[in-house]
């Protein structure tokens, strides 16, 4: 609260240099940990489609301001789905770029091997415009690479012949409304001349555990700097240990403390091999599976989330139930690949449904073109989405 940063982050510098005007900062889950926007000290953001529902998290404020027309676009950060899940719940288009494509200089680190910044916008075209501005090499982020851009210039809705991979096991036990909306979108893609390729990922059951182990381990290390001495708030205690204890006990919310404890546990000497090392092995499996998949297809399509936005307050009691909301999104971060969520219809309760489109590293253009083609061709503003009648 009332924090004024001493310097600007790279993404903001870039946007300001090209004429962008900063309207404000948006609410989010504390340290970007959460899927609902309810892990916040400042009060949760309500979903503009239904204020009894959550926005999704962690970049929920960003998705809500775009969905409600308060901003033409916003930025979010995505470590395991935090751009895509709120985009899905709020009916907007958000893309997590390839790991290393956008500089994170000035972003508070959550899990450094997974974090990326990306735009949340009204559609793929707007997202392409913003990506053209923020995908730039920056020597202040050691992972940054030089990437060829021109996303807007190369945007096309001619995606004839594009190969779309789907894994049918993603739909086992999935709520019918979500399943039907995604299948209707796949029909639109078939009408646009795309070919569907069957995939069968071996990682579906391990991905979420791998994500929560790796991200918590990295978070416990990254957040060690918030000790009341150099960073963040400070509560003066009787001695240095008391200052650390009081600062860290009062300065972090429940969810953040849970992650720090989980992360410290999985890195501790007796458990390192059993959890952290195993999670790294799972990470290689996931990466290899995507490498193999992209030999057979251009993009992979799945739902973004298992449901529409859930009730506010309902899930905060059960952290593991909330973690399950990230089941479709975390693998893109683990593999480092780009992925986007675009709206593909509504539930019968008029809550937006999200379609996730992923591609191989540095293939953002394929995702944007697929999203753009769908947004031009499909009637996705209803709860019976399908191809628009050509008039
Ligand atoms: N919901 C996930 C988590 O809580 C993802 C967060 C994110 O992408 N920042 O860790």
């Amino acid at each position: 609260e009332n924090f004024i940063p001493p310097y600007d982050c790279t993404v903001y510098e870039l946007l300001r240099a090209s004429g962008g005007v900063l309207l404000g900062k948006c609410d989010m889950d504390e340290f970007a940990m959460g899927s609902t926007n309810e892990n916040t000290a400042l009060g949760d953001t309500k979903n503009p489609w239904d204020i009894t529902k959550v926005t999704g998290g962690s970049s929920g404020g960003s998705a809500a301001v775009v969905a409600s027309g308060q901003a033409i676009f916003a930025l979010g950060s995505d470590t395991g789905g935090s751009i895509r899940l709120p985009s899905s719940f709020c009916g907007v288009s958000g893309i997590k770029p390839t790991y290393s494509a956008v500089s994170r200089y000035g972003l508070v680190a959550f899990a450094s091997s997974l974090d990326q910044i990306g735009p949340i916008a009204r559609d793929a075209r707007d997202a392409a415009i913003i990506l053209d501005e923020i995908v730039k090499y920056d020597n202040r982020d050691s992972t940054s690479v030089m990437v060829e851009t021109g996303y807007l210039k190369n945007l096309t809705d001619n995606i004839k012949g594009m190969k779309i991979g789907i894994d049918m096991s993603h739909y086992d036990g999935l709520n019918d409304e979500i399943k039907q909306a995604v299948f209707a979108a796949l029909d639109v893609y078939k009408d646009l001349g795309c070919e569907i390729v069957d995939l069968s990922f071996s990682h579906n059951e391990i991905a979420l555990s791998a994500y929560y182990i790796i991200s918590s381990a990295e978070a416990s290390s990254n957040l060690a700097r918030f000790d009341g001495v150099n960073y963040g708030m400070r509560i003066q205690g009787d001695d240095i240990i008391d200052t650390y204890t009081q600062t860290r006990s009062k300065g972090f919310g429940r969810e953040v403390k849970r992650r720090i404890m989980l992360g410290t546990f999985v890195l501790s000497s007796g458990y390192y091999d059993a959890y952290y090392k195993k999670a790294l092995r799972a990470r290689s499996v996931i990466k290899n599976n995507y490498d193999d998949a992209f030999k057979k297809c251009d993009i992979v399509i799945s739902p973004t989330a298992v449901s529409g936005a859930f009730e506010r307050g309902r899930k905060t009691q059960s952290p593991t139930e909330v973690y399950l909301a990230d089941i479709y999104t975390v693998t893109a971060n683990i593999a480092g690949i780009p992925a986007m969520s675009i709206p593909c219809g509504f539930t019968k309760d008029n809550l937006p449904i999200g379609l996730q489109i992923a591609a191989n590293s540095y293939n953002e253009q394929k995702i944007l073109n697929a999203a753009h083609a769908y947004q031009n061709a499909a009637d996705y503003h209803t709860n019976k989405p399908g191809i628009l009648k050509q008039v």
Side-chain angles (χ1 to χ4, degrees), residues 7-38:
Y7 64 93
D8 290 327
C9 56
T10 298
V11 278
Y12 174 56
E13 274 181 356
L14 290 169
L15 290 167
R16 190 187 45 196
S18 51
V21 177
L22 180 66
L23 297 176
K25 297 194 181 183
C26 299
D27 193 28
M28 58 186 287
D29 287 300
E30 189 183 357
F31 286 100
M33 296 172 188
S35 308
T36 64
N37 214 280
E38 291 174 300

Side-chain angles (χ1 to χ4, degrees), residues 32-35 57-58 77-82 110 211-212 215 259 326:
M33 296 172 188
S35 308
S58 63
S77 75
D78 191 311
T79 301
S82 279
F110 166 5
Y211 167 76
Y212 274 94
S215 63
R259 306 282 180 111
D326 304 328

Side-chain angles (χ1 to χ4, degrees), residues 44-273:
D44 59 326
T45 306
K46 301 173 185 75
N47 191 312
W49 292 94
D50 176 348
I51 58 169
T52 67
K53 302 292 188 295
V54 301
T55 54
S58 63
S59 302
S62 295
V65 294
V66 176
S68 56
Q70 296 176 72
I72 203 151
F73 78 93
L75 296 177
S77 75
D78 191 311
T79 301
S82 279
I83 289 176
R84 290 159 288 154
L85 186 67
S87 294
S88 169
F89 282 8
C90 294
V92 289
S93 305
I95 179 164
K96 177 202 94 71
T98 306
Y99 184 74
S100 77
V102 176
S103 167
R104 299 158 315 163
Y105 179 73
L107 175 76
V108 173
F110 166 5
S112 314
S113 77
L114 305 166
D115 301 338
Q116 257 302 279
I117 297 173
I120 297 179
R122 289 188 303 193
D123 57 20
R125 192 174 172 279
D126 282 2
I129 293 172
I130 306 309
L131 275 186
D132 275 333
E133 301 301 331
I134 64 173
V135 175
K136 293 259 155 54
Y137 172 73
D138 180 11
N139 62 12
R140 294 172 299 182
D141 177 344
S142 61
T143 65
S144 178
V145 295
M146 205 86 78
V147 180
E148 203 173 318
T149 54
Y151 301 115
L152 180 66
K153 188 177 73 199
N154 295 316
L155 197 67
T156 171
D157 60 5
N158 181 1
I159 54 167
K160 202 162 185 293
M162 193 180 254
K163 291 197 174 102
I164 301 178
I166 59 162
D167 180 348
M168 283 309 287
S169 70
H170 281 153
Y171 304 91
D172 291 346
L174 180 70
N175 147 357
D176 265 349
E177 293 180 304
I178 309 294
K179 204 191 292 186
Q180 278 163 17
V182 174
F183 287 173
L186 289 171
D187 285 341
V188 170
Y189 280 112
K190 284 184 213 153
D191 285 338
L192 291 171
C194 298
E195 191 187 319
I196 307 293
V197 178
D198 274 321
L199 300 172
S200 173
F201 287 124
S202 65
H203 59 235
N204 294 330
E205 283 180 10
I206 56 172
L208 211 51
S209 315
Y211 167 76
Y212 274 94
I213 290 171
I214 294 168
S215 63
S216 301
E218 293 185 20
S220 75
S221 162
N222 275 324
L223 270 56
R225 72 188 63 166
F226 296 95
D227 56 6
V229 178
N230 286 311
Y231 289 95
M233 66 178 279
R234 173 190 180 89
I235 297 173
Q236 186 62 50
D238 297 336
D239 53 28
I240 185 72
I241 299 294
D242 192 40
T243 302
Y244 286 159
T245 309
Q246 288 206 49
T247 300
R248 289 176 67 82
S249 303
K250 299 215 175 79
F252 295 130
R254 278 172 69 90
E255 182 60 29
V256 176
K257 284 187 212 162
R258 183 180 293 121
R259 306 282 180 111
I260 293 173
M261 287 191 285
L262 178 63
T264 307
F265 175 77
V266 298
L267 289 175
S268 61
S269 60
Y271 297 96
Y272 185 89
D273 287 356

Side-chain angles (χ1 to χ4, degrees), residues 339-377:
M340 182 169 196
S341 179
I342 59 169
C344 70
F346 286 82
T347 66
K348 59 179 180 337
D349 297 330
N350 287 321
L351 294 170
I353 299 173
L355 183 77
Q356 179 170 248
I357 309 171
N360 209 351
S361 294
Y362 308 112
N363 283 316
E364 277 81 351
Q365 192 74 53
K366 284 186 183 173
I367 297 180
L368 293 166
N369 290 350
H372 183 58
Y374 175 79
Q375 289 178 332
N376 277 349

